[in-house]
Amino acid sequence: MSVLTILEFPDPRLRTKAAPVTVFDAQLKRFVADMFETMYAANGVGLAATQVDVHQRVLVIDMSDERDQPLVLINAEIVEQDGAQVYQEGCLSFPGVYADVTRALKVKVKAQDADGKEFFYEAEGPQAVAVQHEMDHLAGKVFVDYLSPLKRSLLLKRLEKQRKQAASA
Ligand code: NI
């Protein structure tokens, strides 16, 4: 397994729309394992293939404190959604910055596992936020797209400042 490089905003490759996965082979399983390793190494709770410059519809999530509840969703589609919630989101492509985003409270998705087997997955609360956030990445969308122009420019300034501090540390 290996840790992959995570693209950071405003890398234009983050705007790429991912294609459906059609081949469920050993290479895909290795890629899924690498995505988990990359996400855990970065202390993230979710990662989309787009963020590691692979433009296929693969996302991984693990919101557990023990880091022992890995979830992989391949070719995920939202089939039902309900309610609304505001949740403070972060993103591995925006290190050190967070913002409130409004999303559906509950989602039901149809997806495939790494063997290509289809299943339904229902999530609520923070887990539903993660599913929607990662699915957005696969569509070339990032969480700051939901912010007002003013809030977005403040957040991007903060991102710049964090980067400078990290570079000089
Ligand atoms: Ni993200």
Short mmCIF file of all heavy atoms in Angstrom, two decimals, residues 51 90-93 133-134 137, ligand 1:
data_model
loop_
_atom_site.label_atom_id
_atom_site.label_comp_id
_atom_site.label_asym_id
_atom_site.label_seq_id
_atom_site.Cartn_x
_atom_site.Cartn_y
_atom_site.Cartn_z
N GLN A 51 -9.44 13.75 -5.33
CA GLN A 51 -8.44 14.43 -4.52
C GLN A 51 -7.04 13.84 -4.65
O GLN A 51 -6.06 14.48 -4.27
CB GLN A 51 -8.86 14.42 -3.04
CG GLN A 51 -10.09 15.26 -2.76
CD GLN A 51 -10.51 15.12 -1.32
OE1 GLN A 51 -11.17 14.16 -0.96
NE2 GLN A 51 -10.10 16.06 -0.48
N GLY A 90 -14.66 20.44 7.00
CA GLY A 90 -13.29 20.67 6.60
C GLY A 90 -13.01 19.78 5.41
O GLY A 90 -13.89 19.02 4.99
N CYS A 91 -11.82 19.86 4.86
CA CYS A 91 -11.50 19.07 3.67
C CYS A 91 -9.99 18.93 3.58
O CYS A 91 -9.27 19.91 3.78
CB CYS A 91 -12.05 19.80 2.44
SG CYS A 91 -11.72 18.94 0.90
N LEU A 92 -9.51 17.74 3.25
CA LEU A 92 -8.07 17.52 3.14
C LEU A 92 -7.45 18.36 2.02
O LEU A 92 -6.24 18.59 2.03
CB LEU A 92 -7.76 16.03 2.92
CG LEU A 92 -8.10 15.12 4.12
CD1 LEU A 92 -7.87 13.66 3.75
CD2 LEU A 92 -7.28 15.50 5.34
N SER A 93 -8.27 18.84 1.10
CA SER A 93 -7.75 19.71 0.03
C SER A 93 -7.74 21.18 0.44
O SER A 93 -7.30 22.04 -0.34
CB SER A 93 -8.58 19.53 -1.25
OG SER A 93 -8.44 18.20 -1.73
N HIS A 133 -20.39 15.35 0.84
CA HIS A 133 -19.15 16.10 0.58
C HIS A 133 -18.25 15.34 -0.40
O HIS A 133 -17.74 15.91 -1.36
CB HIS A 133 -18.45 16.35 1.93
CG HIS A 133 -17.13 17.04 1.85
ND1 HIS A 133 -16.89 18.26 2.43
CD2 HIS A 133 -15.95 16.67 1.28
CE1 HIS A 133 -15.64 18.63 2.19
NE2 HIS A 133 -15.04 17.67 1.51
N GLU A 134 -18.08 14.04 -0.15
CA GLU A 134 -17.19 13.25 -1.02
C GLU A 134 -17.80 13.04 -2.41
O GLU A 134 -17.09 13.05 -3.41
CB GLU A 134 -16.83 11.91 -0.38
CG GLU A 134 -16.16 11.98 0.98
CD GLU A 134 -15.01 12.97 1.08
OE1 GLU A 134 -14.34 13.24 0.07
OE2 GLU A 134 -14.80 13.50 2.19
N HIS A 137 -17.01 15.99 -4.54
CA HIS A 137 -15.66 15.98 -5.12
C HIS A 137 -15.66 15.25 -6.46
O HIS A 137 -15.01 15.68 -7.41
CB HIS A 137 -14.68 15.26 -4.20
CG HIS A 137 -14.11 16.12 -3.11
ND1 HIS A 137 -13.39 17.27 -3.36
CD2 HIS A 137 -14.12 15.99 -1.76
CE1 HIS A 137 -13.00 17.80 -2.22
NE2 HIS A 137 -13.43 17.05 -1.22
NI NI B 1 -13.10 17.24 0.79
#
